[in-house]
Amino acid sequence: MRGILISLYLGLGIFTIAVGQELLTVKRAVEIALENNYDIQLSKNVLLAAKENKTYGNAGMLPYATADLAQNNSIQNATQLQNSGVERSLDNARNNNLTYGVNIGWTIFDGLGMFARYEKLQELEKQGDLELKRTILATVGDVITLYYTIVEQQNLLSALDSSILISRERLRTAENRFSIGKAAKLEVLNVQVNLNEDLSARLRQVETVKNLKTMLNGILARDLDIDFIIDTEVGIDESLIYGNLLERADRFNPDLQIIILNKKLAELDLKDIKSARYPTVRLNGGYNFSRTESSLGFVARSNSRGLTYGLTASVNIFDGLNQRRNERIAKIQIDNAALQIEQQRLAVQTGLKTAYETYLTNIELVKMEEKNEDIARQNLDITLAKYTIGSISAVEFRDAQENFINAISRFNAAQLQAKLSEIQLKELVGQIDF
């Protein structure tokens, strides 16, 4: 009967919090974060910019066309000595020249640099996609971590609520025993102090839960005053295998994939730099109109129009050895990228191994603390029965009550740490699921 009473206390503690509030599951929290989170939105925009940049024109592979107009005027005091020996002079002589038309240019060969640049633009789009995935992964990890931290603290708050109900029952029992002369006033006062201590602890715990909910609303980028209840069940994936995680991390860890991509970008930079060793060939053409007026000269006015076309080619012969220097630096960047890949791979493997050992330990702690909580619950049940009939003191009952709260706290903490270990492992392998 007492065990049922304690269970009802715990259930009542949860129920009183749940009234009038919406249920926010961890899956729904992640969905809201994916829609609203500012870091994710910024990363999406960076990816969109990279997609917009991936064009043949941006790589220099397409021709360009311009419409040009030039109007030049002058007023001068001019003197001309002609071949015949005649000298002509004119003050404020006006000269006007108007040229307009359409011109086209096209680089048809630049040492294949344009192809390297286009491939680099493709890789930069992939980089933006990986950065977005990394941001999403980190944000989802933060949301889940904070969500289950709230679960831990909410469960502790529910335990404190049940403890307060038990303390009130203790106070009522102590007052009844005092009224019939079976207990001293000191016992009533001690129980009242214990109740006030529980009420004080609850106030602090309520503040903790509210602050955590505000933080979660902040990550979800929504109104900070939105209140909600959470699903207090903590499901821990105990099926993770180190070998499978290691293989997946090598393929999907976002930090590692970004560094691998950086090596590819460094190789494309070298190709682009090497293209400067080859000639650059351009086609040029246009259709232009020209009109010239002169107050002094053999021709007073002239008009022309027509097609212009041609080809230009240039090759770098000597540039102060800058070409050689740029190529050497590009090769060093490739070597550094290769070293960073191995460095990051080792860091991922190290983090994965330590996280997996912590994961196994925390799973065992969950099982142990669950048993301890059950023992503490049974102990409190027996102690409450004995205290009711007066066979134990209030101090002994308080010890059992505190042991019960501490056992719940340790069990909740063990569940949280095990869940966090699971999230860390899945974040390292780049795949968080529900």
mmCIF file of all heavy atoms in Angstrom, residues 210-252:
data_model
loop_
_atom_site.group_PDB
_atom_site.id
_atom_site.type_symbol
_atom_site.label_atom_id
_atom_site.label_comp_id
_atom_site.label_asym_id
_atom_site.label_seq_id
_atom_site.Cartn_x
_atom_site.Cartn_y
_atom_site.Cartn_z
ATOM 1 N N LYS A 210 12.987 26.048 -15.901
ATOM 2 C CA LYS A 210 12.533 27.172 -16.717
ATOM 3 C C LYS A 210 13.676 27.735 -17.570
ATOM 4 O O LYS A 210 13.493 28.058 -18.738
ATOM 5 C CB LYS A 210 11.951 28.265 -15.822
ATOM 6 C CG LYS A 210 10.572 27.941 -15.263
ATOM 7 C CD LYS A 210 10.019 29.109 -14.459
ATOM 8 C CE LYS A 210 8.599 28.814 -13.977
ATOM 9 N NZ LYS A 210 8.042 29.941 -13.182
ATOM 10 N N ASN A 211 14.848 27.877 -16.963
ATOM 11 C CA ASN A 211 15.991 28.407 -17.709
ATOM 12 C C ASN A 211 16.394 27.473 -18.851
ATOM 13 O O ASN A 211 16.753 27.923 -19.945
ATOM 14 C CB ASN A 211 17.174 28.629 -16.767
ATOM 15 C CG ASN A 211 16.967 29.828 -15.847
ATOM 16 O OD1 ASN A 211 16.147 30.702 -16.131
ATOM 17 N ND2 ASN A 211 17.702 29.865 -14.750
ATOM 18 N N LEU A 212 16.357 26.166 -18.598
ATOM 19 C CA LEU A 212 16.683 25.199 -19.647
ATOM 20 C C LEU A 212 15.663 25.265 -20.784
ATOM 21 O O LEU A 212 16.022 25.171 -21.963
ATOM 22 C CB LEU A 212 16.743 23.786 -19.063
ATOM 23 C CG LEU A 212 17.941 23.479 -18.166
ATOM 24 C CD1 LEU A 212 17.772 22.125 -17.488
ATOM 25 C CD2 LEU A 212 19.248 23.496 -18.968
ATOM 26 N N LYS A 213 14.400 25.435 -20.438
ATOM 27 C CA LYS A 213 13.367 25.554 -21.477
ATOM 28 C C LYS A 213 13.569 26.835 -22.295
ATOM 29 O O LYS A 213 13.377 26.834 -23.519
ATOM 30 C CB LYS A 213 11.975 25.543 -20.839
ATOM 31 C CG LYS A 213 11.548 24.181 -20.317
ATOM 32 C CD LYS A 213 10.126 24.214 -19.772
ATOM 33 C CE LYS A 213 9.666 22.828 -19.332
ATOM 34 N NZ LYS A 213 8.266 22.840 -18.820
ATOM 35 N N THR A 214 13.964 27.905 -21.624
ATOM 36 C CA THR A 214 14.248 29.147 -22.347
ATOM 37 C C THR A 214 15.412 28.941 -23.315
ATOM 38 O O THR A 214 15.372 29.417 -24.461
ATOM 39 C CB THR A 214 14.585 30.271 -21.356
ATOM 40 O OG1 THR A 214 13.467 30.503 -20.488
ATOM 41 C CG2 THR A 214 14.914 31.567 -22.084
ATOM 42 N N MET A 215 16.449 28.241 -22.863
ATOM 43 C CA MET A 215 17.590 27.965 -23.731
ATOM 44 C C MET A 215 17.178 27.122 -24.938
ATOM 45 O O MET A 215 17.627 27.373 -26.060
ATOM 46 C CB MET A 215 18.687 27.255 -22.927
ATOM 47 C CG MET A 215 19.339 28.126 -21.869
ATOM 48 S SD MET A 215 20.423 27.182 -20.773
ATOM 49 C CE MET A 215 21.639 26.587 -21.954
ATOM 50 N N LEU A 216 16.317 26.127 -24.709
ATOM 51 C CA LEU A 216 15.858 25.297 -25.818
ATOM 52 C C LEU A 216 15.022 26.115 -26.802
ATOM 53 O O LEU A 216 15.182 25.986 -28.021
ATOM 54 C CB LEU A 216 15.046 24.116 -25.292
ATOM 55 C CG LEU A 216 14.545 23.127 -26.352
ATOM 56 C CD1 LEU A 216 15.702 22.571 -27.174
ATOM 57 C CD2 LEU A 216 13.762 21.979 -25.708
ATOM 58 N N ASN A 217 14.152 26.973 -26.288
ATOM 59 C CA ASN A 217 13.376 27.847 -27.173
ATOM 60 C C ASN A 217 14.298 28.747 -27.992
ATOM 61 O O ASN A 217 14.006 29.068 -29.150
ATOM 62 C CB ASN A 217 12.394 28.698 -26.357
ATOM 63 C CG ASN A 217 11.165 27.927 -25.917
ATOM 64 O OD1 ASN A 217 10.746 26.987 -26.578
ATOM 65 N ND2 ASN A 217 10.594 28.309 -24.784
ATOM 66 N N GLY A 218 15.419 29.161 -27.378
ATOM 67 C CA GLY A 218 16.379 29.986 -28.099
ATOM 68 C C GLY A 218 16.998 29.239 -29.260
ATOM 69 O O GLY A 218 17.139 29.783 -30.369
ATOM 70 N N ILE A 219 17.388 27.977 -29.037
ATOM 71 C CA ILE A 219 17.951 27.178 -30.123
ATOM 72 C C ILE A 219 16.909 26.936 -31.211
ATOM 73 O O ILE A 219 17.226 26.927 -32.403
ATOM 74 C CB ILE A 219 18.492 25.838 -29.588
ATOM 75 C CG1 ILE A 219 19.667 26.072 -28.644
ATOM 76 C CG2 ILE A 219 18.924 24.919 -30.728
ATOM 77 C CD1 ILE A 219 20.236 24.797 -28.051
ATOM 78 N N LEU A 220 15.649 26.777 -30.798
ATOM 79 C CA LEU A 220 14.571 26.560 -31.762
ATOM 80 C C LEU A 220 14.138 27.851 -32.443
ATOM 81 O O LEU A 220 13.299 27.821 -33.352
ATOM 82 C CB LEU A 220 13.356 25.929 -31.066
ATOM 83 C CG LEU A 220 13.597 24.596 -30.349
ATOM 84 C CD1 LEU A 220 12.281 24.043 -29.813
ATOM 85 C CD2 LEU A 220 14.267 23.592 -31.251
ATOM 86 N N ALA A 221 14.725 28.983 -32.019
ATOM 87 C CA ALA A 221 14.440 30.296 -32.615
ATOM 88 C C ALA A 221 12.944 30.596 -32.603
ATOM 89 O O ALA A 221 12.344 30.974 -33.611
ATOM 90 C CB ALA A 221 15.001 30.383 -34.030
ATOM 91 N N ARG A 222 12.334 30.449 -31.434
ATOM 92 C CA ARG A 222 10.926 30.775 -31.298
ATOM 93 C C ARG A 222 10.737 31.583 -30.016
ATOM 94 O O ARG A 222 11.704 31.860 -29.294
ATOM 95 C CB ARG A 222 10.077 29.505 -31.277
ATOM 96 C CG ARG A 222 10.324 28.570 -30.108
ATOM 97 C CD ARG A 222 9.395 27.378 -30.178
ATOM 98 N NE ARG A 222 9.443 26.568 -28.962
ATOM 99 C CZ ARG A 222 8.593 25.583 -28.703
ATOM 100 N NH1 ARG A 222 7.637 25.277 -29.575
ATOM 101 N NH2 ARG A 222 8.684 24.882 -27.589
ATOM 102 N N ASP A 223 9.498 31.963 -29.725
ATOM 103 C CA ASP A 223 9.191 32.781 -28.558
ATOM 104 C C ASP A 223 9.753 32.126 -27.294
ATOM 105 O O ASP A 223 9.458 30.965 -26.994
ATOM 106 C CB ASP A 223 7.673 32.950 -28.439
ATOM 107 C CG ASP A 223 7.276 33.953 -27.360
ATOM 108 O OD1 ASP A 223 8.157 34.375 -26.582
ATOM 109 O OD2 ASP A 223 6.091 34.314 -27.298
ATOM 110 N N LEU A 224 10.559 32.888 -26.558
ATOM 111 C CA LEU A 224 11.208 32.338 -25.366
ATOM 112 C C LEU A 224 10.218 32.018 -24.252
ATOM 113 O O LEU A 224 10.548 31.253 -23.341
ATOM 114 C CB LEU A 224 12.268 33.318 -24.851
ATOM 115 C CG LEU A 224 13.404 33.666 -25.821
ATOM 116 C CD1 LEU A 224 14.371 34.643 -25.164
ATOM 117 C CD2 LEU A 224 14.144 32.405 -26.254
ATOM 118 N N ASP A 225 9.022 32.606 -24.304
ATOM 119 C CA ASP A 225 8.041 32.399 -23.236
ATOM 120 C C ASP A 225 7.151 31.180 -23.464
ATOM 121 O O ASP A 225 6.285 30.886 -22.638
ATOM 122 C CB ASP A 225 7.157 33.644 -23.089
ATOM 123 C CG ASP A 225 7.945 34.850 -22.580
ATOM 124 O OD1 ASP A 225 8.872 34.636 -21.772
ATOM 125 O OD2 ASP A 225 7.628 35.982 -22.989
ATOM 126 N N ILE A 226 7.325 30.494 -24.581
ATOM 127 C CA ILE A 226 6.520 29.297 -24.829
ATOM 128 C C ILE A 226 6.858 28.226 -23.802
ATOM 129 O O ILE A 226 8.014 27.856 -23.632
ATOM 130 C CB ILE A 226 6.757 28.750 -26.253
ATOM 131 C CG1 ILE A 226 6.272 29.755 -27.301
ATOM 132 C CG2 ILE A 226 6.063 27.404 -26.440
ATOM 133 C CD1 ILE A 226 6.525 29.309 -28.727
ATOM 134 N N ASP A 227 5.840 27.749 -23.103
ATOM 135 C CA ASP A 227 6.045 26.682 -22.121
ATOM 136 C C ASP A 227 5.597 25.356 -22.741
ATOM 137 O O ASP A 227 4.759 25.319 -23.639
ATOM 138 C CB ASP A 227 5.252 26.971 -20.847
ATOM 139 C CG ASP A 227 5.817 26.205 -19.656
ATOM 140 O OD1 ASP A 227 6.822 25.472 -19.835
ATOM 141 O OD2 ASP A 227 5.246 26.317 -18.556
ATOM 142 N N PHE A 228 6.140 24.301 -22.255
ATOM 143 C CA PHE A 228 5.851 22.993 -22.826
ATOM 144 C C PHE A 228 6.214 21.914 -21.828
ATOM 145 O O PHE A 228 6.940 22.150 -20.858
ATOM 146 C CB PHE A 228 6.631 22.785 -24.135
ATOM 147 C CG PHE A 228 8.118 22.985 -23.985
ATOM 148 C CD1 PHE A 228 8.951 21.937 -23.614
ATOM 149 C CD2 PHE A 228 8.679 24.238 -24.203
ATOM 150 C CE1 PHE A 228 10.320 22.116 -23.466
ATOM 151 C CE2 PHE A 228 10.050 24.432 -24.066
ATOM 152 C CZ PHE A 228 10.865 23.370 -23.695
ATOM 153 N N ILE A 229 5.682 20.726 -22.071
ATOM 154 C CA ILE A 229 6.097 19.556 -21.305
ATOM 155 C C ILE A 229 6.889 18.648 -22.231
ATOM 156 O O ILE A 229 6.813 18.756 -23.452
ATOM 157 C CB ILE A 229 4.890 18.798 -20.693
ATOM 158 C CG1 ILE A 229 3.955 18.334 -21.802
ATOM 159 C CG2 ILE A 229 4.178 19.655 -19.682
ATOM 160 C CD1 ILE A 229 2.842 17.423 -21.310
ATOM 161 N N ILE A 230 7.660 17.785 -21.643
ATOM 162 C CA ILE A 230 8.521 16.914 -22.432
ATOM 163 C C ILE A 230 8.208 15.447 -22.116
ATOM 164 O O ILE A 230 7.613 15.124 -21.094
ATOM 165 C CB ILE A 230 10.017 17.218 -22.170
ATOM 166 C CG1 ILE A 230 10.290 17.518 -20.683
ATOM 167 C CG2 ILE A 230 10.448 18.438 -22.961
ATOM 168 C CD1 ILE A 230 10.556 16.329 -19.873
ATOM 169 N N ASP A 231 8.606 14.607 -23.030
ATOM 170 C CA ASP A 231 8.464 13.173 -22.830
ATOM 171 C C ASP A 231 9.615 12.719 -21.933
ATOM 172 O O ASP A 231 10.784 12.793 -22.314
ATOM 173 C CB ASP A 231 8.522 12.461 -24.185
ATOM 174 C CG ASP A 231 8.315 10.951 -24.057
ATOM 175 O OD1 ASP A 231 8.102 10.473 -22.923
ATOM 176 O OD2 ASP A 231 8.379 10.272 -25.096
ATOM 177 N N THR A 232 9.290 12.278 -20.737
ATOM 178 C CA THR A 232 10.326 11.982 -19.752
ATOM 179 C C THR A 232 10.976 10.618 -19.941
ATOM 180 O O THR A 232 11.890 10.264 -19.207
ATOM 181 C CB THR A 232 9.746 12.064 -18.325
ATOM 182 O OG1 THR A 232 8.625 11.177 -18.217
ATOM 183 C CG2 THR A 232 9.314 13.484 -18.009
ATOM 184 N N GLU A 233 10.501 9.852 -20.912
ATOM 185 C CA GLU A 233 11.131 8.566 -21.190
ATOM 186 C C GLU A 233 12.436 8.789 -21.950
ATOM 187 O O GLU A 233 12.487 9.550 -22.910
ATOM 188 C CB GLU A 233 10.195 7.669 -22.004
ATOM 189 C CG GLU A 233 8.949 7.236 -21.257
ATOM 190 C CD GLU A 233 9.269 6.350 -20.066
ATOM 191 O OE1 GLU A 233 10.240 5.554 -20.168
ATOM 192 O OE2 GLU A 233 8.570 6.451 -19.052
ATOM 193 N N VAL A 234 13.485 8.126 -21.507
ATOM 194 C CA VAL A 234 14.793 8.238 -22.145
ATOM 195 C C VAL A 234 15.135 6.892 -22.778
ATOM 196 O O VAL A 234 15.445 5.928 -22.082
ATOM 197 C CB VAL A 234 15.882 8.640 -21.140
ATOM 198 C CG1 VAL A 234 17.240 8.778 -21.844
ATOM 199 C CG2 VAL A 234 15.506 9.946 -20.453
ATOM 200 N N GLY A 235 15.051 6.835 -24.098
ATOM 201 C CA GLY A 235 15.408 5.614 -24.804
ATOM 202 C C GLY A 235 16.873 5.638 -25.213
ATOM 203 O O GLY A 235 17.321 6.553 -25.909
ATOM 204 N N ILE A 236 17.630 4.669 -24.773
ATOM 205 C CA ILE A 236 19.067 4.617 -25.055
ATOM 206 C C ILE A 236 19.345 3.475 -26.023
ATOM 207 O O ILE A 236 18.937 2.327 -25.787
ATOM 208 C CB ILE A 236 19.871 4.419 -23.756
ATOM 209 C CG1 ILE A 236 19.577 5.569 -22.787
ATOM 210 C CG2 ILE A 236 21.370 4.348 -24.056
ATOM 211 C CD1 ILE A 236 20.140 5.358 -21.403
ATOM 212 N N ASP A 237 20.018 3.798 -27.099
ATOM 213 C CA ASP A 237 20.392 2.798 -28.097
ATOM 214 C C ASP A 237 21.604 2.016 -27.592
ATOM 215 O O ASP A 237 22.707 2.539 -27.517
ATOM 216 C CB ASP A 237 20.706 3.482 -29.425
ATOM 217 C CG ASP A 237 20.958 2.478 -30.553
ATOM 218 O OD1 ASP A 237 20.941 1.264 -30.279
ATOM 219 O OD2 ASP A 237 21.171 2.920 -31.699
ATOM 220 N N GLU A 238 21.384 0.770 -27.214
ATOM 221 C CA GLU A 238 22.467 -0.054 -26.673
ATOM 222 C C GLU A 238 23.077 -0.983 -27.717
ATOM 223 O O GLU A 238 23.869 -1.869 -27.380
ATOM 224 C CB GLU A 238 21.938 -0.891 -25.494
ATOM 225 C CG GLU A 238 21.376 -0.051 -24.350
ATOM 226 C CD GLU A 238 20.929 -0.911 -23.176
ATOM 227 O OE1 GLU A 238 21.327 -2.101 -23.135
ATOM 228 O OE2 GLU A 238 20.186 -0.405 -22.311
ATOM 229 N N SER A 239 22.734 -0.776 -28.993
ATOM 230 C CA SER A 239 23.169 -1.696 -30.041
ATOM 231 C C SER A 239 24.389 -1.198 -30.815
ATOM 232 O O SER A 239 24.770 -1.805 -31.815
ATOM 233 C CB SER A 239 22.018 -1.946 -31.016
ATOM 234 O OG SER A 239 21.654 -0.739 -31.671
ATOM 235 N N LEU A 240 24.994 -0.091 -30.388
ATOM 236 C CA LEU A 240 26.118 0.484 -31.133
ATOM 237 C C LEU A 240 27.348 -0.412 -31.018
ATOM 238 O O LEU A 240 27.707 -0.866 -29.919
ATOM 239 C CB LEU A 240 26.441 1.882 -30.613
ATOM 240 C CG LEU A 240 25.298 2.905 -30.696
ATOM 241 C CD1 LEU A 240 25.759 4.260 -30.184
ATOM 242 C CD2 LEU A 240 24.776 3.017 -32.122
ATOM 243 N N ILE A 241 27.995 -0.665 -32.149
ATOM 244 C CA ILE A 241 29.184 -1.517 -32.215
ATOM 245 C C ILE A 241 30.359 -0.668 -32.702
ATOM 246 O O ILE A 241 30.248 0.046 -33.696
ATOM 247 C CB ILE A 241 28.960 -2.716 -33.149
ATOM 248 C CG1 ILE A 241 27.766 -3.549 -32.644
ATOM 249 C CG2 ILE A 241 30.218 -3.576 -33.248
ATOM 250 C CD1 ILE A 241 27.375 -4.674 -33.583
ATOM 251 N N TYR A 242 31.475 -0.785 -32.014
ATOM 252 C CA TYR A 242 32.617 0.091 -32.290
ATOM 253 C C TYR A 242 33.110 -0.040 -33.728
ATOM 254 O O TYR A 242 33.385 0.965 -34.388
ATOM 255 C CB TYR A 242 33.753 -0.217 -31.307
ATOM 256 C CG TYR A 242 34.987 0.610 -31.561
ATOM 257 C CD1 TYR A 242 35.015 1.964 -31.236
ATOM 258 C CD2 TYR A 242 36.125 0.048 -32.144
ATOM 259 C CE1 TYR A 242 36.135 2.733 -31.473
ATOM 260 C CE2 TYR A 242 37.253 0.810 -32.385
ATOM 261 C CZ TYR A 242 37.253 2.154 -32.047
ATOM 262 O OH TYR A 242 38.364 2.910 -32.293
ATOM 263 N N GLY A 243 33.221 -1.261 -34.224
ATOM 264 C CA GLY A 243 33.732 -1.461 -35.579
ATOM 265 C C GLY A 243 32.865 -0.782 -36.626
ATOM 266 O O GLY A 243 33.374 -0.136 -37.559
ATOM 267 N N ASN A 244 31.545 -0.906 -36.477
ATOM 268 C CA ASN A 244 30.631 -0.252 -37.419
ATOM 269 C C ASN A 244 30.727 1.270 -37.332
ATOM 270 O O ASN A 244 30.697 1.971 -38.347
ATOM 271 C CB ASN A 244 29.198 -0.698 -37.152
ATOM 272 C CG ASN A 244 28.988 -2.179 -37.431
ATOM 273 O OD1 ASN A 244 29.770 -2.792 -38.149
ATOM 274 N ND2 ASN A 244 27.946 -2.750 -36.845
ATOM 275 N N LEU A 245 30.842 1.769 -36.092
ATOM 276 C CA LEU A 245 30.965 3.211 -35.903
ATOM 277 C C LEU A 245 32.236 3.744 -36.539
ATOM 278 O O LEU A 245 32.234 4.818 -37.161
ATOM 279 C CB LEU A 245 30.951 3.542 -34.398
ATOM 280 C CG LEU A 245 29.646 3.261 -33.650
ATOM 281 C CD1 LEU A 245 29.852 3.452 -32.158
ATOM 282 C CD2 LEU A 245 28.520 4.165 -34.149
ATOM 283 N N LEU A 246 33.327 3.003 -36.404
ATOM 284 C CA LEU A 246 34.612 3.438 -36.955
ATOM 285 C C LEU A 246 34.537 3.529 -38.482
ATOM 286 O O LEU A 246 35.032 4.494 -39.088
ATOM 287 C CB LEU A 246 35.715 2.474 -36.527
ATOM 288 C CG LEU A 246 37.152 2.881 -36.846
ATOM 289 C CD1 LEU A 246 37.502 4.192 -36.153
ATOM 290 C CD2 LEU A 246 38.114 1.779 -36.428
ATOM 291 N N GLU A 247 33.900 2.546 -39.084
ATOM 292 C CA GLU A 247 33.774 2.547 -40.547
ATOM 293 C C GLU A 247 32.901 3.705 -41.021
ATOM 294 O O GLU A 247 33.228 4.389 -42.000
ATOM 295 C CB GLU A 247 33.174 1.216 -41.000
ATOM 296 C CG GLU A 247 32.991 1.111 -42.512
ATOM 297 C CD GLU A 247 32.320 -0.188 -42.928
ATOM 298 O OE1 GLU A 247 32.071 -1.038 -42.040
ATOM 299 O OE2 GLU A 247 32.031 -0.342 -44.127
ATOM 300 N N ARG A 248 31.805 3.948 -40.332
ATOM 301 C CA ARG A 248 30.903 5.027 -40.720
ATOM 302 C C ARG A 248 31.535 6.398 -40.499
ATOM 303 O O ARG A 248 31.327 7.330 -41.290
ATOM 304 C CB ARG A 248 29.601 4.910 -39.939
ATOM 305 C CG ARG A 248 28.731 3.731 -40.390
ATOM 306 C CD ARG A 248 27.701 3.346 -39.342
ATOM 307 N NE ARG A 248 26.806 4.427 -39.017
ATOM 308 C CZ ARG A 248 25.916 4.386 -38.023
ATOM 309 N NH1 ARG A 248 25.847 3.304 -37.257
ATOM 310 N NH2 ARG A 248 25.128 5.397 -37.789
ATOM 311 N N ALA A 249 32.327 6.527 -39.432
ATOM 312 C CA ALA A 249 32.988 7.802 -39.155
ATOM 313 C C ALA A 249 33.961 8.164 -40.263
ATOM 314 O O ALA A 249 34.073 9.329 -40.666
ATOM 315 C CB ALA A 249 33.709 7.743 -37.811
ATOM 316 N N ASP A 250 34.679 7.168 -40.784
ATOM 317 C CA ASP A 250 35.644 7.425 -41.850
ATOM 318 C C ASP A 250 34.947 7.874 -43.127
ATOM 319 O O ASP A 250 35.532 8.601 -43.938
ATOM 320 C CB ASP A 250 36.472 6.168 -42.115
ATOM 321 C CG ASP A 250 37.695 6.458 -42.968
ATOM 322 O OD1 ASP A 250 38.531 7.279 -42.546
ATOM 323 O OD2 ASP A 250 37.809 5.879 -44.060
ATOM 324 N N ARG A 251 33.696 7.490 -43.299
ATOM 325 C CA ARG A 251 32.963 7.830 -44.519
ATOM 326 C C ARG A 251 32.104 9.083 -44.366
ATOM 327 O O ARG A 251 31.913 9.819 -45.335
ATOM 328 C CB ARG A 251 32.065 6.662 -44.922
ATOM 329 C CG ARG A 251 32.799 5.398 -45.326
ATOM 330 C CD ARG A 251 31.823 4.244 -45.553
ATOM 331 N NE ARG A 251 30.782 4.605 -46.508
ATOM 332 C CZ ARG A 251 29.643 3.934 -46.637
ATOM 333 N NH1 ARG A 251 29.384 2.887 -45.862
ATOM 334 N NH2 ARG A 251 28.750 4.318 -47.544
ATOM 335 N N PHE A 252 31.578 9.332 -43.154
ATOM 336 C CA PHE A 252 30.560 10.370 -43.022
ATOM 337 C C PHE A 252 30.900 11.485 -42.039
ATOM 338 O O PHE A 252 30.152 12.461 -41.969
ATOM 339 C CB PHE A 252 29.222 9.738 -42.599
ATOM 340 C CG PHE A 252 28.701 8.727 -43.564
ATOM 341 C CD1 PHE A 252 28.632 7.382 -43.222
ATOM 342 C CD2 PHE A 252 28.281 9.106 -44.823
ATOM 343 C CE1 PHE A 252 28.153 6.430 -44.112
ATOM 344 C CE2 PHE A 252 27.798 8.163 -45.724
ATOM 345 C CZ PHE A 252 27.731 6.827 -45.370
#
